Amino acid sequence: MKALWGEMNGRGRVVLAVAVLLLLLAPTVATRYLVSVLTLIFYFVYVGQAWNLMMGYAGQLSLGHALYVGVGGYVSAALWVHFGIGPWLGVFPAVLLAASFGAAIGWLGFRFGIEGVYFALLTIAFAEFTRIGFDHIDVVGGAGGLFIPYEEARLGEWWNLRGGQLFFYYLAFGLAAIAVLVTALLARSRLGYQWRAVREDEAAARALGIDAFRAKMKAILISSAMTAVGGVFYAFYYNSLFPAQMFEMSRSIELILGPIVGGLGTVFGPVIGAFLLTPLGEILIGVTEALGINAPGAKAVFFGLTLMVIIYLVPTGVWPWLSKTLGLTGRRS
Amino acid sequence: MTALLVVEGVGKRFRGLTAVDRVSFTLAAGEIFAVIGPNGAGKTTLFNMIAGVLKPNDGAISFCGERIDGLTPDAVCRRGIGRTFQIVRPFPGLSVEDNVLIGALLHRKDMAAARRCARDVLGRLDLYDKRGVQAASLTLPDRKRLELARALATDPKLLLLDEVMAGLRPTETDRMVEILKTLNRETGVSILLIEHVMRAVMALAGHMLVLHHGAPIASGKPEEVVRDPAVITSYLGQETVI
């Protein structure tokens, strides 16, 4: 909490406290639809934050984070469906496997000096291979998908993530809050500064005694493990998993837009990004439907245009601009 | 005096080109040692072998009695050798203080202690008032001092300085000379300079080594070396007035 508090000045703390309070109370007045949108926002805050640690702080571009969501989701769902192992336990093997994928990608990339866009290509390749692989793993349903059955009797078993809408709302909120806290803590830690050094100039970082390989490995391990937990949430919230849907590149892109728009390498950037983009997507669906535009991709076109405008106006992200304009961080003059 | 850095018969070849040819010298603890020579003499290659960027083909480099040739740059730094880059490389997106803080964190686990150390070093190098400024917006002399500050914050026993005077005006050079002298006197840090600016070398170095085409042609006290006929013809030129 102290680390998070330290990010803000007095005014920022008041805004943060009020926002948290409003979100905690929101389900009492909000419609089911609004609660589901907010749940989705929290999910994107969480996974966006996990990606932000790796890209925003350590400067390693991953365009294949859907891999970790998918692996996390599939492992925990399969353990539940086939062996009745609940997600609280299943999350451990899920995280372990996703982090192993992360370790493999990191080791290949960082040990052999694959950097920048080439590293990004490596992450895409792994996600694509895994997608194709999962198409052929019959235990998890292959291309036909894996479904977590809806069982009336189990409804309310929150310890098995078989809860209702409110349960998932608060679970997602908790995950998002933890991700923000973890980011705030890491950002102020020794490791956080090592990451920044590697991001800014790897040769200079090494000249200051930083083992760049280890720092980058820690980044991808933490990021992939965190993202896998998001995958577990995703699996039990939506109850259906398809390889094409879980591992597709557009899923990886979707997850990184929030941090980019909100502000890379900032604690609240991914939060602001998710709160902007998820509702924007929903609004665009509504608008295109109301206008009777049924052309496929119409939503994507509007979405893309809006992103271009935002990035043109605030190239370093919305949060740095917003916090400065509203005077939420730093000393006020 | 005890030997801090011992370079013995070190050589480096790039394909057919011999960049450094069997260079040997010893740097005593607390000493300021300069390596000079014309462009392409192999100074930076020698420097990079000590700093762990390049692995020598022949010879050995020892620091505090241990072999360090072939170690990675970060391992070399952790043993107590700090370096600057010929073309300065501060972390551009970070503040001046955070740049130095990263150096200070090498041997300090505690954030508050590291920050105190960073501020202390910034104070020594006339950068304290600029600690909140983004490093990218500093002028060249400030960037050079920032690189020095960052290296110093890692508590080195030996500082490797690759042309820290290059691009500085005479008054700025004099200020840098004064800073280095004070550091050497007060903290006891040894310094290995690679330098073109003779005025700085003469003012600082206790010993110097002259390289030409990768090979040593003279070494000794600066006032003796500059009178050496081989040095005058290959590097300084007949008309040089120091």
Side-chain angles (χ1 to χ4, degrees):
Chain A
M1 270 323 259
K2 212 180 119 195
L4 195 59
W5 232 217
E7 287 286 321
M8 301 276 202
N9 59 26
R11 190 191 288 188
R13 289 169 194 178
V14 171
V15 171
L16 179 65
V18 169
V20 167
L21 198 67
L22 284 178
L23 289 172
L24 283 173
L25 297 174
T28 56
V29 287
T31 60
R32 283 184 68 82
Y33 170 67
L34 195 59
V35 170
S36 75
V37 172
L38 283 168
T39 307
L40 196 60
I41 290 174
F42 297 148
Y43 167 75
F44 279 117
V45 169
Y46 180 82
V47 287
Q49 204 65 276
W51 182 81
N52 181 43
L53 284 176
M54 190 170 150
M55 175 63 198
Y57 287 95
Q60 305 304 310
L61 176 59
S62 164
L63 293 178
H65 255 51
L67 169 65
Y68 313 123
V69 178
V71 168
Y74 261 106
V75 170
S76 58
L79 286 173
W80 172 244
V81 170
H82 292 300
F83 305 105
I85 297 171
W88 293 116
L89 209 59
V91 69
F92 293 103
V95 162
L96 205 67
L97 188 65
S100 309
F101 271 98
I105 295 171
W107 190 82
L108 281 173
F110 306 146
R111 181 54 85 204
F112 299 104
I114 299 166
E115 284 164 13
V117 287
Y118 301 102
F119 178 74
L121 284 179
L122 185 71
T123 62
I124 295 173
F126 262 81
E128 284 295 296
F129 283 144
T130 317
R131 178 176 66 80
I132 295 162
F134 268 79
D135 271 343
H136 301 284
I137 302 175
D138 294 331
V139 193
V140 292
L146 179 67
F147 302 91
I148 298 178
Y150 177 79
E151 295 162 274
E152 201 77 49
R154 286 200 181 275
L155 211 63
E157 283 187 16
W158 58 266
W159 58 94
N160 283 325
L161 298 192
R162 302 285 71 198
Q165 206 193 11
L166 271 187
F167 167 73
F168 278 106
Y169 176 86
Y170 285 109
L171 180 64
F173 178 82
L175 281 174
I178 289 169
V180 172
L181 266 174
V182 165
T183 305
L185 278 173
L186 282 171
R188 296 175 149 239
S189 73
R190 195 160 172 251
L191 182 59
Y193 280 98
Q194 291 181 342
W195 282 346
R196 288 183 185 92
V198 169
R199 176 190 77 194
E200 295 286 315
D201 188 329
E202 192 170 324
R206 298 187 74 189
L208 294 178
I210 294 170
D211 187 335
F213 175 75
R214 279 185 66 164
K216 290 194 283 188
M217 283 303 281
K218 283 179 189 167
I220 197 169
L221 284 173
I222 294 174
S223 182
S224 58
M226 261 178 85
T227 309
V229 177
V232 177
F233 171 87
Y234 187 96
F236 284 79
Y237 184 53
Y238 288 107
N239 297 314
S240 61
L241 303 163
F242 301 94
Q245 183 204 65
M246 293 304 286
F247 296 106
E248 212 186 30
M249 186 158 165
S250 61
R251 302 316 293 269
S252 294
I253 302 290
E254 174 182 75
L255 152 177
I256 74 178
L257 288 177
I260 293 175
V261 167
L264 281 172
T266 64
V267 173
F268 290 99
V271 181
I272 296 295
F275 271 90
L276 276 175
L277 296 184
T278 312
L280 179 70
E282 296 294 319
I283 289 166
L284 285 176
I285 292 174
V287 169
T288 45
E289 274 174 7
L291 292 174
I293 306 170
N294 295 322
K299 184 200 151 193
V301 170
F302 284 114
F303 199 71
L305 284 173
T306 319
L307 282 186
M308 280 165 67
V309 171
I310 295 175
I311 289 169
Y312 176 75
L313 291 175
V314 277
T316 56
V318 175
W319 169 252
W321 166 79
L322 191 73
S323 63
K324 207 173 152 194
T325 310
L326 300 181
L328 303 178
T329 52
R331 258 184 228 106
R332 280 159 59 198
S333 49
Chain B
M1 282 218 277
T2 51
L4 187 67
L5 180 76
V6 181
V7 175
E8 287 174 284
V10 162
K12 180 73 188 173
R13 290 178 297 277
F14 297 107
R15 309 243 174 147
L17 176 82
T18 304
V20 173
D21 190 13
R22 284 163 295 164
V23 171
S24 300
F25 67 90
T26 301
L27 186 149
E31 181 177 35
I32 300 183
F33 192 102
V35 177
I36 65 165
N39 285 329
K43 301 186 301 291
T44 297
T45 304
L46 177 66
F47 186 96
N48 279 333
M49 286 190 284
I50 301 169
V53 178
L54 297 171
K55 198 178 154 90
N57 297 111
D58 319 297
I61 303 169
S62 310
F63 181 70
C64 293
E66 285 179 71
R67 285 283 290 268
I68 58 160
D69 49 290
L71 291 183
T72 56
D74 44 300
V76 169
C77 175
R78 285 195 293 273
R79 299 208 173 194
I81 300 183
R83 70 164 291 181
T84 64
F85 290 90
Q86 189 176 351
I87 296 156
V88 288
R89 325 176 66 146
F91 303 124
L94 305 183
S95 71
V96 167
E97 183 171 316
D98 284 351
N99 263 270
V100 183
L101 176 72
I102 288 167
L105 280 168
L106 177 62
H107 293 300
R108 288 172 193 78
K109 306 268 180 231
D110 178 45
M111 195 57 69
R115 210 167 271 285
R116 272 198 305 278
C117 163
R119 291 189 174 176
D120 180 52
V121 172
L122 286 171
R124 282 176 172 280
L125 295 185
D126 306 338
L127 282 168
Y128 187 77
D129 295 335
K130 291 178 179 152
R131 65 189 186 279
V133 175
Q134 214 184 5
S137 62
L138 289 182
T139 59
L140 183 69
D142 282 346
R143 283 184 207 205
K144 295 235 164 194
R145 285 209 307 284
L146 176 59
E147 280 232 336
L148 186 58
R150 214 168 51 171
L152 267 178
T154 64
D155 303 327
K157 294 191 194 86
L158 172 65
L159 265 178
L160 302 181
L161 306 180
D162 196 355
E163 300 204 15
V164 277
M165 310 292 175
L168 298 188
R169 286 194 294 266
T171 49
E172 292 158 355
T173 303
D174 291 345
R175 177 72 192 118
M176 190 61 115
V177 165
E178 197 186 310
I179 286 173
L180 293 176
K181 268 187 166 167
T182 315
L183 277 173
N184 176 252
R185 194 177 57 239
E186 288 179 2
T187 66
V189 65
S190 312
I191 297 173
L192 178 65
L193 285 169
I194 285 192
E195 201 50 72
H196 266 309
V197 181
M198 285 309 290
R199 152 196 183 106
V201 172
M202 297 306 288
L204 279 169
H207 279 89
M208 64 196 277
L209 173 76
V210 188
L211 291 183
H212 189 52
H213 295 311
I217 55 168
S219 69
K221 291 196 184 304
E223 51 276 19
E224 293 161 9
V225 170
V226 289
R227 283 194 214 98
D228 190 307
V231 176
I232 292 168
T233 46
S234 71
Y235 180 47
L236 296 175
Q238 297 291 351
E239 302 299 320
T240 304
V241 180
I242 292 144

